[in-house]
């Protein structure tokens, strides 16, 4: 993705860029591929174990949730961390099959966790 490029570029092209591995070096690999995902996955695992977490919203409208909603939201948070790991760790290493399969599975995990969290929150 080129953040300083043409602002009129279509969203479909931006989404297509997610299917290709990113570019970068060791700093990006360590920061975005290991440290950031470890923090996010830890937060998701903590939400699963304790059964309570924060559902982040806009403009200080964060909501504290408990029970199965928090557990499934923890699955969604952990899936976001795994997406970051597969994208910026395995995408920067020349192991593209792990990058592709891991990215798809983490996005499916996010959809499942977030969908179940919505179901349990609004039933």
């Amino acid at each position: 993705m080129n953040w300083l490029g043409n602002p009129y570029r279509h969203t479909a092209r931006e989404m297509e860029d997610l299917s290709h591995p990113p570019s970068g070096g060791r700093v990006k690999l360590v920061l975005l591929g290991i440290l950031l995902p470890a923090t996010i996955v830890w937060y998701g695992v903590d939400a699963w174990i304790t059964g309570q977490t924060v559902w982040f919203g806009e403009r200080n409208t964060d909501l504290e949730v408990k029970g199965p909603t928090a557990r499934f939201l923890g699955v969604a948070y952990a899936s976001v961390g795994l997406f970051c790991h597969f994208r910026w760790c395995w995408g920067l290493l020349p192991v593209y099959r792990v990058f592709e399969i891991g990215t798809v599975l983490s996005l499916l995990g996010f959809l499942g966790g977030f969908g179940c969290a919505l179901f349990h929150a609004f039933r």
Side-chain angles (χ1 to χ4, degrees), residues 15 54 70 105 110:
M15 290 174 60
V54 175
L105 290 179
F110 172 77

Side-chain angles (χ1 to χ4, degrees), residues 22 40 70 72 86 92:
I40 298 172
F72 284 117
F86 285 115
L92 291 174

Side-chain angles (χ1 to χ4, degrees), residues 6 9 13 15 36 41 43-45 56 59-61 63 69 71 76 80 86 91-92 108 113-114 122:
N6 185 358
R9 194 171 170 194
R13 290 184 187 161
M15 290 174 60
L36 176 69
V41 168
Y43 188 76
V45 169
F56 296 104
R59 299 188 193 122
N60 297 327
T61 58
L63 179 67
T69 304
R71 284 193 162 80
V80 168
F86 285 115
L92 291 174
L108 289 174
F114 191 68
F122 296 113

